[in-house]
Amino acid sequence: ITTGSLALGKVGAAYAQAVSAAGGVTPYIWVGTGLPPGLSLSSSGVLSGTPITAGTYVVVIDVIDDSMPSQVAEREFNVPIN
């Protein structure tokens, strides 16, 4: 995962940020846990939505490549929502 950080968000304001990776075999599948309420991570790696609750969230993002067997990379981000 080559994305170093995720942008801060604001309650009630639209949020969108793409996450990127390098290496492995494309296409990638993206999975996120600990997402702020109102946001979702698409399988193509775009975190988007409208945050509904303020706080600092620990978001864990995994990327799974298309090799056999699949390779998985994981990165943890702090995402502040004001």
Side-chain angles (χ1 to χ4, degrees):
I1 297 175
T2 57
T3 302
S5 63
L6 296 176
L8 64 88
K10 186 169 188 143
V11 171
Y15 182 99
Q17 181 171 351
V19 184
S20 58
V25 178
T26 58
Y28 302 131
I29 296 173
W30 297 87
V31 179
T33 56
L35 302 175
L39 298 185
S40 61
L41 181 66
S42 72
S43 61
S44 60
V46 178
L47 180 62
S48 63
T50 302
I52 59 174
T53 306
T56 298
Y57 296 86
V58 178
V59 174
V60 178
I61 294 181
D62 291 283
V63 61
I64 305 157
D65 81 346
D66 200 36
S67 63
M68 286 294 178
S70 296
Q71 298 180 64
V72 178
E74 182 175 277
R75 180 169 254 178
E76 187 176 285
F77 298 93
N78 287 322
V79 180
I81 303 295
N82 298 327

